[in-house]
Each structure stands twice: as C-alpha cells, then as structure tokens.
Amino acid sequence: MRILVLNCGSSSAKFAVIDPGTGAELVSGLAERLGQDGARLVWKRDGVKKERTIPGADHDRALRTIVQVLDDEGLRAGLAGIGHRVVHGGPRFTASCLVDAEVEAGIEACFPLGPLHNPPNLLGIRIARELFAGLPNVAVFDTAFHSTMPERAYLYAVPWAWYEQHQVRRYGFHGTSHRFVAEEALSRLGLQGRADSALVTAHLGNGCSAAAIHGGRCIDTTMGLTPLEGLVMGTRSGDVDPALIGYVAGRLDIPATQVIDALNKQSGLLGLSGSSNDMRTLVEKADGGDRRAALAIEVFCYRLAKTIGGLATALGRLDAVVFTGGIGENSVAVRSRVCALLGILGIQLDPARNAEHGRSAGGVISSGAVRAMVVPTNEELMIARDTAGLVGGTAACAGRCSCTA
Ligand code: AMP
C-alpha cells in the first residue's frame, strides 16, 4: 500500500509517499516560499534531488505541481489514501479520522484555537479532495495523543467559564511524534502492552515538548492551549510569568499581542543567546567562549531536566527517558547535560553510547535500570500508518465523522 502524506503550513507544503508496511519513503519533498517570487518545489527520489521553480505559486498551484511530480515519477496511480497533518483538534478530535464535510467543519471550528496552522491544514485537505477525487483523506491531529490526559493535568486554575465557554485548557502538541517514539521505545524495551510502563518522551527540535506516557497513553505534557507553554525552545520562551506580558507591554508601550509575538519568535535560545536559535551553532559558540550561548544551553537543559523530574512524578515510576527531534537525536552535549541532572531519577549516562547516539545498543545511552534512549522520530510514517488503518478498515473512526468506517 502507498500513502501520500501532506503537511500544509502557511507558506509551505511538505509531502511524501510512504509504504506504511515497510516504512519506505518512495519520494519526499517540500514546496516552500508559497505566495512569494522565490516559490519552488524540491523533492528527492532514490537519493536524487530535483527542483522546479513555481514563481508566486499559492497552495493550489503547489499541490497541482506535486500531482504532476507524482505522475512523472509514476507514483500517483498506486495511492490508497492521503494522510494530512492537522495541528489543532480541539476537544473533539481524540484520534485520527476519515475526512468528510463534517470533519472539515470540525477542523474549521478549531481555527480560533490554532489560528496559524489549522487554516492552511484545512486548505490542503480541501485542495487534495478536489485534486485526488475518489481517494480517501485522513486527518491526523497533533493534539489527539494528549486527549487521554486527566483533568488534573489539562485544567488551568483559571475562571471556570473560560474553560466551559471558550475551551481554555491544556491540549499539548507534537502528539504524533510522542506516540511514534513511545511505541518504538516500548517495543525496543520489550514493554509493549504493559499497563504499568512509564516513559517520559522529549521531542527537542526547533519546537520542544515532553510527555509522560503511562501504559502507552499520555497522562501529561508540557505544551498547553498553544505551543508556547512549557520548555525553552528555539525561538519560543516556554513558561513565563503571564503577568510579564502586561508589564512589558506597558514598559515598551506596545500591544500585548506584540509581546506574545516576541515570546513566540524572538525568545528561547535565540533570545537568551542573542545570536542563534540553532543548537549546533550555540554549542560551537559556547565551546569558543561565548558566554551568552553557554547560558542559553544551560537554561535549556536545566528547565528540561526539571520538567522531566516533574513528569516522572506524574508517572510514579520510570522505565525510560526518550530523546527525539533534531536536538534530542543529535546533540551529545545536550543529552549529556540533561542526564547529569537526572541522576536523582536513577539515570546513569554511558558517555561512549551517548557519543554514538546509542546506535549499537538499540538507542540506549545509559547503563542503569532506568534507561535514557535516543529514538529518531518519524511523524510522516505515523500519519501513513494511521491513514492505512482507516483506509484499509483495520482501524475505526469511532464516530468522529459521519462516515461508516
Ligand atoms: P528539528 O526542528 O527537529 O528539525 O530540529 C532542529 C534543531 O535540531 C536545531 O536547533 C538544530 O540545531 C538541532 N540539531 C540538528 N542537528 C544537530 C546536531 N548535530 N547537534 C546539535 N543540534 C542539532
């Protein structure tokens, strides 16, 4: 079976054709700078990179070009379905589901919760339904994996009416990645199906979040109503005192929305270091004596370790801490610092295994009973698997749409 996976952002559209059985990626690519002169489509097949310029192309033209590429590469005919990444599923979407008009309306109803992501996600779905008439479409939500959180984890201590009338609560994001690496880690550790298994997964990329996973189900996570809450990230602040927003707005005589914009785009590693949001660059600069770069890494690691400790408390016991994402999979320095702070949880880092990202030990980079692990994430494969399950009738839609699956 072959599945087309689509991830439409505000100015980009990522795509891949994946065999969900083997995990093989037959083609993958990115249409970027959409709506601008420099818009282009780049794709890779069998290790060979190709490019086509599509000046000024919008999402519709970009997706039409992707269809042409799939035709040229002989990959369109064998498609069984299309899986779409959708960022915010709100309180309604607690699992992936087949798309129909009602699901489209549900995704649209979540626009106020995901104003930057849901509109382009839905646009991609609508264009795909038109361009690939007859092929089933599946929506896979970033928030869905976290829908098993109990009230004590997802409620904010704010006026009840905000929650009841405006859905103000914690949702969590990166759920597809946390689910993928948790399943992979449980399988590698022989803990699949164990009701008492306890993992903390740390997705550390440009965006960062961690999750507490008990018996394969998420019981807490660090991101909240929006992806701004929680850990220090590339350009996002993570947790701050919310009163800071009014204070800074007053001092700088700017609207609160501008302060929130700066918390999203000019904070985190970039704000602390004053030079970069890229962990590779910061590690190099810190090694070269840049004090602010070193401080940014220290705050990042300290906050992460403190948070993992909190999530371990939610779990009550701990089998493993799993690192993933660009930083989690590649940064020996970050993992080393974080694990050094996690001695209290019984984690003993093995520096030699850490140096080779655990590749010769099934991802394990520690020596004690509580494991630290590196597990590369693969959100596209997870989306392809969910899509295959729903399209092939081996998974149920559970009444989330009006289809009969
Ligand atoms: P992602 O959003 O998952 O692509 O991750 C992006 C982040 O991963 C950036 O901060 C990169 O600097 C970081 N990253 C990628 N490769 C490495 C590496 N070899 N060492 C440290 N950080 C890395």
Side-chain angles (χ1 to χ4, degrees):
M1 187 187 275
R2 286 174 184 173
I3 301 292
L4 171 62
V5 175
L6 276 180
N7 179 358
C8 284
S10 57
S11 63
S12 69
K14 265 195 200 169
F15 73 99
V17 174
I18 293 175
D19 178 333
T22 63
E25 204 172 71
L26 305 169
V27 68
S28 65
L30 170 73
E32 57 183 351
R33 301 185 208 130
L34 298 182
Q36 301 168 36
D37 287 344
R40 61 176 190 156
L41 178 65
V42 285
W43 71 97
K44 204 162 79 175
R45 179 146 200 218
D46 299 329
V48 182
K49 247 186 167 174
K50 297 181 188 169
E51 183 178 331
R52 201 175 282 179
T53 54
I54 38 174
D58 57 8
H59 285 81
D60 188 71
R61 243 193 85 202
L63 289 189
R64 282 177 198 279
T65 314
I66 290 170
V67 172
Q68 277 169 17
V69 166
L70 295 180
D71 272 335
D72 295 349
E73 300 282 355
L75 289 170
R76 185 180 179 188
L79 291 175
I82 306 172
H84 298 264
R85 178 182 183 219
V86 179
V87 169
H88 218 307
R92 173 175 168 193
F93 294 108
T94 56
S96 303
C97 63
L98 283 161
V99 177
D100 61 9
E102 203 207 328
V103 167
E104 281 192 7
I107 294 169
E108 193 162 0
C110 295
F111 278 9
L113 290 168
L116 300 178
H117 299 102
N118 275 36
N121 296 160
L122 181 59
L123 183 63
I125 290 175
R126 288 190 164 141
I127 298 170
R129 288 185 83 190
E130 188 197 319
L131 289 181
F132 297 87
L135 267 191
N137 287 261
V138 167
V140 179
F141 300 90
D142 267 22
T143 47
F145 182 57
H146 305 300
S147 66
T148 47
M149 285 194 288
E151 284 177 322
R152 69 176 187 180
Y154 74 67
L155 286 175
Y156 289 117
V158 297
W160 190 255
W162 297 2
Y163 165 58
E164 221 169 38
Q165 292 165 27
H166 302 287
Q167 298 82 48
V168 173
R169 50 158 283 186
R170 307 183 62 250
Y171 291 96
F173 298 87
H174 293 146
T176 312
S177 174
H178 287 291
R179 183 157 61 105
F180 181 87
V181 297
E183 284 181 9
E184 184 66 27
L186 290 175
S187 154
R188 291 186 193 185
L189 295 172
L191 295 172
Q192 266 169 327
R194 282 272 301 271
D196 65 342
S197 68
L199 303 178
V200 173
T201 49
H203 177 106
L204 310 174
N206 203 28
C208 300
S209 67
I213 299 170
H214 187 257
R217 290 157 65 88
C218 177
I219 61 162
D220 205 347
T221 191
T222 56
M223 285 178 166
L225 175 73
T226 77
L228 184 55
E229 187 177 337
L231 302 172
V232 174
M233 313 182 207
T235 62
R236 294 189 200 123
S237 61
D239 291 341
V240 292
D241 180 345
L244 163 163
I245 296 168
Y247 175 78
V248 174
R251 298 294 292 184
L252 301 185
D253 195 20
I254 56 175
T257 49
Q258 206 172 319
V259 181
I260 294 168
D261 198 52
L263 291 175
N264 270 305
K265 297 182 186 151
Q266 293 164 33
S267 302
L269 293 172
L270 177 63
L272 283 165
S273 69
S275 57
S276 178
N277 62 327
D278 191 304
M279 187 57 85
R280 260 169 309 199
T281 309
L282 293 177
V283 170
E284 274 170 30
K285 280 177 174 270
D287 288 347
D290 184 323
R291 199 189 90 80
R292 294 258 307 270
L295 202 54
I297 298 168
E298 192 178 347
V299 175
F300 180 93
C301 293
Y302 171 73
R303 286 267 293 273
L304 173 59
K306 210 167 68 157
T307 302
I308 292 172
L311 292 171
T313 305
L315 289 163
R317 57 179 296 279
L318 190 60
D319 289 308
V321 173
V322 185
F323 292 93
T324 195
I327 298 172
E329 290 168 30
N330 297 299
S331 181
V332 174
V334 167
R335 292 193 307 254
S336 164
R337 278 170 172 271
V338 174
C339 289
L341 291 165
L342 291 178
I344 190 163
L345 299 180
I347 288 179
Q348 293 158 10
L349 189 76
D350 179 327
R353 285 179 172 181
N354 186 36
E356 48 117 39
H357 313 291
R359 282 190 191 122
S360 60
V364 175
I365 55 169
S366 59
S367 53
V370 179
R371 280 23 177 272
M373 294 178 78
V374 180
V375 177
T377 193
N378 194 337
E379 292 166 271
E380 289 77 18
L381 177 54
M382 196 86 241
I383 292 172
R385 283 184 188 158
D386 277 10
T387 305
L390 285 163
V391 165
T394 55
C397 244
R400 280 170 200 94
C401 62
S402 52
C403 77
T404 50

